[in-house]
Each structure stands twice: as structure tokens, then as C-alpha cells.
Amino acid sequence: MTNILDFDLIELKNWMNTNGEKEFRAKQVFDCIYKYVWDFDEMANIPKATKEKLKKAFYIGIPSLVTSFSSLDGSTEKYLLKFQDGNMIECVVMKYNYGNSICVSTQVGCRMGCKFCASTIDGLVRNITSGEILSQVILAQKTINERISNIVLMGSGEPLDNFENVIKFINLVNAEYGLNIGQRHITISTSGIVPKIYELADKKLQSTLAISLHAPNDSARKEIMPIANKYSIEQLLNSCNYYIEKTNKRISFEYSLVKGINDNEKNALELAKLIKGMLCHVNLIPVNKVTEKNYEKPSKEAIRKFAYILKENGIECTVRKEMGSDINAACGQLRRDFIKENETRC
Ligand code: SAH
């Protein structure tokens, strides 16, 4: 059986054609799905015979909402979702004054092995399909009963390790008959798979590329990110410059500040020197505590100092507002906590 959400309009029209149905039925089916009708039998304007054919070929792959949490200030909601095959993932909705943003997962687990990240502890389970990434946005939108206008691919998984599905997802979510969220409102975050950054640049999307840099030199980066053994920072920055050249978009460098690891003044100066002159911006993320790891965030003063040094040296930077840390909003933590809790219960 195929998840109908993995199909775009053209594919569903073709399916209708080859199955002796009228092409316009495809749009009607999607209209129902985007109006939250997730059972073929309940699609009022679709003839019974067509429904029967659809039911034999497709399922509507909206995950079930296992549990959800709201942060105390109401700005963040985190959902634990379960796909048809039983795999669970999480996504987070953040409510800003400029609109609602969602952080979606692109893989169940992850194989990148970043030391401070919970998603990667048990490795990669499987890729999430384009329709399954889309379904996180559809379900969240229904749950909050408000439009979602921005998407960040920063949940669990490495988007560029699931390249085809991510590209197709961007097309699906952009569709006028669907959620109509434009490329400019999407941020793709990567730990830095260099060849895929070139490939992405060649697609000339208008999406923001966020690079998880986290260290100002190769040896420090290798300590916390295994991918640094494969690609040097120089290679990574070359690919970023290529992305800028092709898209004219500013790169966002993510730098998770970890106490005693990458947070001293020397690190800040080195970082400033490294990226000076690039069309970029640094997003400082005080590291979120992960139960299994003993990394800690630096003091407020150390964070302020780090940001100050970057700014003094001409680098635009922001410190990520800590939203939802009271509900374990860091990547992969909720899924792990849930699985562990159920393991101990058994
Ligand atoms: N694999 C992609 C996207 C997922 S992670 C990537 O590496 O970019 C999204 C961001 O959150 C990355 O910058 C990641 O390094 C960061 N991150 C993961 N765990 C974190 C934690 N415990 N504290 C702070 N940032 C974390």
C-alpha cells in the first residue's frame, strides 16, 4: 500500500487516469485531506467505486498523536507522533509573534553521531518519506487550529542524508492545492554533508541553509561531530560559499555552546575570523541538557561574552531564545524518554 501523501497532484492524476478515473478526482481527494478528512469513506464528493479503488491502493498516512506537551509559557508545543509502522518521531511547534513555526523530523533516529544530540544515540532506524514529513505539518496545523507559516528541518535526523525525500517534501508543502508554504519559509539544517550541499545549491532553492558548525576549527569539531572526520571546515565553507553564489541566500551557522568545550573567548575570536566576510549569521544555541550526556550550557555571562566578541568582530549573531526547554524540546529527547519509560514499565 502506498501513502497517498507521498504522491503529488500530477502523480495522483496519472494514477486516476491509469485506473479509469477522472483526473479531477485527484484534486478533490487532496482537498478533502487538507480539510482534515482522513478516511476515504468520509470523502463526500468522491463516488463509492472510486473510493473502493483508492482504499485498495492507498492509505492516508497521518501519524497518530501519542502525547503532547505545552511549555509553561504556552509558546511551544511538542508532539510525539507514531507512524503506521509503529515508529515514533517528534516535532515541535513554536508560536512567534510573526507566525507559527514547526520543527519537523526527517529521519527516525540519525546516524551522524553528534556527541551532544539525543536523536543519534541509537543510530538511524529509517528515513522518513516526503509524505510523512508533510504529515507532521498537516497534523500540527490541525492540532493548533492555526496556520503554520514557517518550517525548520531541525528535528531528529539529517535532512541531507535523506535528500530525495526532503526535496520532494519541499515541493509538496509548497503546492498551492496543499499548505502553500514557500521555499523562503523553510530552513534546512545540516551537520555538513558537503557533496549534498553542492547538490542542494544546484537546485537553486530559496530556502535558508543552516550549518551545524559548533566549533571553530577541525580538531575541536572532530571531538563533537564525527562528520568532521570526513569533511574539513575548509571544504564545508567552500560548499557554503557555493550555496551563497547560487542562491544569494545568507547562510545561518548554528553553534551550540557547551560549557568548557567550545565556549571560551578564544573560540569566539577564532570563529569570527573563520567566517568573516561571508554572507552569514551565527545562531548561538546554549546546549540543551540530554539525560545521557553530561554536557552543560555555559553561564549567561559566558554566552553574552561570546556573542559580544562575535559582534565586535563584525559577525551578526543571535542567541536562540530557549523555548520549550521545560518540555524537553531538544532533538530526540521526548522519543527517547517515552521509549525508555515504556521499556521500564514492561
Ligand atoms: N542533522 C541536522 C538537523 C537536526 S539537529 C543538523 O545537524 O543540523 C538541529 C540542530 O540542533 C543542530 O544544529 C544540532 O546540532 C542541534 N542540537 C542537537 N542536539 C542539541 C542539544 N542537546 N543542544 C543544543 N543543540 C542541539
Side-chain angles (χ1 to χ4, degrees), residues 110 112 114 116-118 153-159 189-192 210-212 214 225 254 256 285-290 320 330-331 333:
C110 181
M112 304 316 289
C114 302
F116 45 83
C117 181
L153 278 65
M154 289 189 186
S156 45
E158 165 53 50
S189 180
T190 178
S191 56
I211 301 287
S212 297
H214 304 319
M225 300 181 73
E254 289 161 279
S256 294
I285 318 168
V287 76
N288 271 306
K289 186 129 189 63
V290 174
R320 183 174 296 172
C331 294
Q333 284 189 66

Side-chain angles (χ1 to χ4, degrees), residues 45-224:
N45 49 358
I46 307 292
K48 187 147 190 333
T50 318
K51 284 180 191 168
E52 291 309 316
K53 284 189 199 169
L54 284 165
K55 273 158 52 182
K56 283 205 182 96
F58 299 106
Y59 65 96
I60 303 170
I62 303 284
S64 55
L65 184 56
V66 178
T67 176
S68 67
F69 296 93
S70 295
S71 62
L72 290 173
D73 64 1
S75 67
T76 310
E77 286 188 21
K78 180 150 192 168
Y79 305 123
L80 184 68
L81 308 178
K82 194 187 217 167
F83 290 126
Q84 272 71 10
D85 67 353
N87 273 307
M88 285 187 285
I89 51 122
E90 43 203 278
C91 65
V92 183
V93 173
M94 292 149 291
K95 298 175 176 176
Y96 296 102
N97 44 19
Y98 58 80
N100 298 314
S101 189
I102 186 170
C103 173
V104 294
S105 291
T106 54
Q107 293 179 315
V108 180
C110 181
R111 58 175 176 161
M112 304 316 289
C114 302
K115 293 270 174 60
F116 45 83
C117 181
S119 306
T120 200
I121 295 174
D122 290 326
L124 176 68
V125 179
R126 71 164 172 88
N127 281 332
I128 299 180
T129 71
S130 55
E132 287 173 333
I133 307 173
L134 179 71
S135 69
Q136 299 169 49
V137 191
I138 301 177
L139 182 63
Q141 195 159 273
K142 177 171 188 252
T143 308
I144 62 168
N145 198 21
E146 279 176 33
R147 179 165 195 266
I148 286 174
S149 49
N150 285 280
I151 301 174
V152 295
L153 278 65
M154 289 189 186
S156 45
E158 165 53 50
L160 299 191
D161 190 34
N162 186 15
F163 195 82
E164 299 305 324
N165 280 317
V166 162
I167 297 298
K168 185 160 187 194
F169 159 71
I170 292 173
N171 289 328
L172 290 174
V173 83
N174 185 216
E176 267 176 42
Y177 63 86
L179 296 178
N180 204 356
I181 301 175
Q183 290 174 5
R184 284 173 194 281
H185 299 277
I186 299 174
T187 298
I188 304 165
S189 180
T190 178
S191 56
I193 304 182
V194 168
K196 293 290 174 190
I197 295 174
Y198 283 103
E199 219 177 299
L200 189 67
D202 285 333
K203 298 221 174 268
K204 296 194 177 133
L205 301 180
Q206 281 306 299
S207 297
T208 299
L209 180 64
I211 301 287
S212 297
L213 191 59
H214 304 319
N217 60 62
D218 286 323
S219 64
R221 198 163 185 259
K222 282 178 192 170
E223 293 284 319
I224 48 177

Side-chain angles (χ1 to χ4, degrees), residues 290-304:
V290 174
T291 330
E292 290 83 349
K293 317 271 172 142
N294 48 10
Y295 292 122
E296 275 177 48
K297 62 181 64 140
S299 67
K300 284 215 164 67
E301 179 53 26
I303 297 169
R304 204 194 53 76

